[in-house]
Amino acid sequence: MSASVPGQAVHSLWTVAAPTDRIPTPHIEYAQLSPVLIVFGVAALGVLVEAFLPRRSRYTAQVALAAVGLAAAFAAVVALADKGYGTTKAHIAAMGAVAVDGPALFLQGTILLVGFVAVFTFAERRLDPRAHGSQVDSFAAQGSAVPGSDQEKAAVRAGFTSTEVFPLLMFAVGGMLIFPAANDLLTLFVALEVFSLPLYILCALARRNRLMSQEAAVKYFLLGAFSSAFLLFGIALLYGYAGTVSYSGISAVIDGSAPLTPALADTTGNDALLLIGLAMVAMGLLFKVGAVPFHMWTPDVYQGAPTPVTGFMASATKVAAFGALLRLLYVVLPGMRWDWRPVMWGVAIITMLAGAIIAVTQTDVKRLLAYSSIAHAGFILAGVIATTPDGISSVLFYLAAYSFVTLGAFAVVTLVRDAGGEATHLSRWAGLGRRSPLVAAVFAVFLLAFAGIPLTSGFAGKFAVFKAASEGGAMPLVIVGVISSAVAAFFYIRVIVLMFFSEPRPDGPTVAVPSAMTSTAIAVGVAVTLVLGLAPQYFLDLADKAGVFVR
């Protein structure tokens, strides 16, 4: 009898401790989360394709699956916007974790279009010469093989290709879709890791220059891990300050509208937790946008990664990260505007100047475009600093315009080749306009857009962000931005002069004839650049309508 007493005691504790009510079922709005669910569903299907389809069938299946999945997800975004979820029906979904509003849908649509075009550059198989009778792409024959090893040589002889890059691309896109829509700090962190980890792997998979590619991936991973750690520590401090990780909860505590509890009375009296936590979260986001002084990874990673990955990463990551930064500053911290604006002023100024000035000294096309992207991060920050509705809409427009110019420019870089692969040293581009006038002219269009020359999308974007910044009281920032743009225009035009007014070298590179895949990607880039430059008003109005955050 006595032996059963402990069991009875434990059982009685369970019954006493058990709650009287059932655990509530989480309420998930699946229809409103459909773009994200479609992308992750396709990514999971891609993993199954890798596991069960024979190797010869995987490439076609993966390309078709990725393209159809991204198109379906974009259609879902358009359907949500058409039903008013970007304006009148904007709300917080998934138990407060994800916002469905204008900026989220606009940025998600941009990321999905960029991802759709990036699939074509990933799928290109006509640029490299055939390897042992098989068509090959930009990616390593077998990613797990040690560079130069017998295992890698055997994989090349067998004609292997790394078709797992497509599910990795889809997982990265899925994380990027959640990142600008995250409405609490934990969702923000999870989304950051979901899109960062596939990018670390993709950076290491170049078919040529395997060691440089792996070095780029290691640098990106190590610095990315540091930035994630800062972000997570900042989240912990903000939770310690406000007692919640939801954006609306933290905002209510900051502006004093939250009910004051004894615990909050202890923490809110100490602004150190808030200010240090905010600084650390901002560091994590500024790392992703490539702002100075968190830009150190950008040139090395852009140069070492496979060029299709560089193009995707340079465009889509900026869109997602700036979306998250906008939501953090405009939804969580509007009451702290006078605290974060001076810091962002400083970051924007040194980012614009450093990106433009250091780019002048570059001799590699990919590194030049990397420092160009750093300068553009500074220009976009000018719109962020405006703290007006026009500031939000101008940043949305700039991100959409910039992402397609970048994708197109890196697609052109994949075409200029010599015996060692892509010829990225600037001296090799001398006289390219005489060897291949069409390719040089297309690249010149993209460079003029980067420089912000009128009748290109770059001019419309810069005009929008500088106008918003000046109306928001940041006129000195606009002056620095115009000076930086003038410096940047020098090295863009220098490349154009090199291509069209220099004699081609006898041993110069050739321009590979791409398949319809890369041709389509470049054509889309040129079309978007010219349409947004010649007739930007419709898209500016669209960004304006989409520029209201739900709180």
Side-chain angles (χ1 to χ4, degrees):
M1 188 71 179
S2 61
S4 63
V5 171
Q8 290 173 348
V10 171
H11 179 71
S12 67
L13 283 172
W14 282 348
T15 53
V16 170
T20 52
D21 299 327
R22 289 186 176 184
I23 297 171
T25 307
H27 179 63
I28 307 295
E29 297 87 342
Y30 292 105
Q32 286 137 54
L33 299 177
S34 55
V36 178
L37 297 177
I38 290 168
V39 169
F40 280 130
V42 168
L45 278 174
V47 174
L48 295 177
V49 165
E50 286 297 310
F52 294 111
L53 250 63
R55 190 179 289 275
R56 66 179 177 277
S57 309
R58 290 178 197 166
Y59 168 78
T60 307
Q62 292 284 25
V63 174
L65 192 61
V68 169
L70 290 166
F74 181 73
V77 168
V78 172
L80 288 172
D82 187 53
K83 290 175 183 173
Y85 285 105
T87 50
T88 53
K89 293 185 183 176
H91 71 292
I92 308 299
M95 305 284 287
V98 177
V100 182
D101 59 8
L105 292 177
F106 188 94
L107 294 167
Q108 286 177 343
T110 304
I111 291 164
L112 288 165
L113 287 175
V114 168
F116 184 79
V117 176
V119 166
F120 295 153
T121 62
F122 275 53
E124 178 60 65
R125 303 182 93 173
R126 273 190 37 189
L127 300 180
D128 266 308
R130 285 174 172 265
H132 302 278
S134 302
Q135 286 186 320
V136 295
D137 52 24
S138 301
F139 300 98
Q142 192 168 1
S144 59
V146 175
S149 66
D150 292 337
Q151 184 186 4
E152 184 186 48
K153 290 171 185 171
V156 171
R157 280 196 300 273
F160 288 178
T161 52
S162 294
T163 46
E164 59 264 39
V165 296
F166 295 100
L168 286 170
L169 172 71
M170 297 303 287
F171 279 117
V173 169
M176 289 174 184
L177 294 183
I178 300 174
F179 199 55
N183 195 58
D184 68 50
L185 293 170
L186 285 183
T187 307
L188 181 82
F189 177 73
V190 171
L192 173 72
E193 295 307 303
V194 168
F195 82 75
S196 294
L197 292 172
L199 288 178
Y200 299 150
I201 299 168
L202 287 169
C203 286
L205 293 178
R207 179 172 287 271
R208 311 253 190 165
N209 298 323
R210 288 287 313 278
L211 289 175
M212 184 189 284
S213 173
Q214 291 187 351
E215 178 191 344
V218 170
K219 286 177 178 175
Y220 191 22
F221 171 69
L222 290 176
L223 291 170
F226 275 111
S227 80
S228 296
F230 277 117
L231 182 79
L232 197 56
F233 197 12
I235 289 170
L237 293 176
L238 288 176
Y239 177 73
Y241 174 81
T244 178
V245 290
S246 78
Y247 284 4
S248 57
I250 298 170
S251 178
V253 171
I254 290 171
D255 64 26
S257 60
L260 195 64
T261 63
L264 274 181
D266 287 340
T267 58
T268 52
N270 180 7
D271 281 348
L273 281 176
L274 173 63
L275 294 173
I276 298 171
L278 164 62
M280 288 185 156
V281 171
M283 281 168 63
L285 296 177
L286 290 171
F287 173 87
K288 281 297 171 191
V289 304
V292 178
F294 313 107
H295 68 294
M296 298 79 67
W297 60 278
T298 311
D300 290 343
V301 174
Y302 280 25
Q303 184 182 14
T307 305
V309 174
T310 306
F312 168 69
M313 187 169 61
S315 47
T317 305
K318 258 193 178 45
V319 176
F322 267 111
L325 185 65
L326 273 176
R327 191 174 296 277
L328 179 78
L329 297 179
Y330 280 68
V331 175
V332 183
L333 304 167
M336 292 190 65
R337 186 172 305 170
W338 302 113
D339 293 286
W340 61 257
R341 273 193 84 183
V343 177
M344 287 297 175
W345 267 64
V347 171
I349 288 169
I350 60 170
T351 301
M352 287 188 283
L353 290 175
I357 292 168
I358 300 175
V360 174
T361 66
Q362 299 306 306
T363 56
D364 184 276
V365 173
K366 288 171 79 174
R367 289 183 77 87
L368 183 141
L369 292 176
Y371 280 106
S372 159
S373 85
I374 292 167
H376 282 281
F379 300 143
I380 299 169
L381 279 172
V384 173
I385 288 165
T387 62
T388 62
D390 281 351
I392 300 172
S393 59
S394 68
V395 169
L396 297 181
F397 178 85
Y398 199 121
L399 289 169
Y402 170 80
S403 56
F404 286 98
V405 179
T406 304
L407 207 56
F410 279 106
V412 172
V413 171
T414 63
L415 304 183
V416 183
R417 312 178 82 82
D418 56 21
E422 291 164 4
T424 58
H425 198 279
L426 270 179
S427 62
R428 309 284 289 159
W429 288 57
L432 187 71
R434 302 187 188 186
R435 286 178 182 272
S436 182
L438 180 61
V439 170
V442 167
F443 196 62
V445 169
F446 292 136
L447 291 176
L448 292 173
F450 283 134
I453 301 301
L455 305 183
T456 65
S457 59
F459 174 78
K462 279 184 183 172
F463 184 83
V465 292
F466 288 162
K467 177 172 175 283
S470 65
E471 290 174 354
M475 197 62 201
L477 201 63
V478 175
I479 294 168
V480 174
V482 171
I483 293 169
S484 300
S485 295
V487 174
F490 164 74
F491 62 78
Y492 295 129
I493 292 170
R494 187 186 70 179
V495 176
I496 295 172
V497 169
L498 182 75
M499 290 192 297
F500 286 100
F501 300 101
S502 299
E503 287 296 326
R505 290 167 49 168
D507 61 339
T510 58
V511 175
V513 178
S515 70
M517 298 278 192
T518 299
S519 301
T520 302
I522 294 171
V524 169
V526 172
V528 173
T529 302
L530 295 177
V531 168
L532 294 188
L534 296 169
Q537 195 56 52
Y538 171 78
F539 300 95
L540 285 165
D541 291 342
L542 192 66
D544 197 43
K545 287 178 189 171
V548 181
F549 287 105
V550 65
R551 286 179 169 80

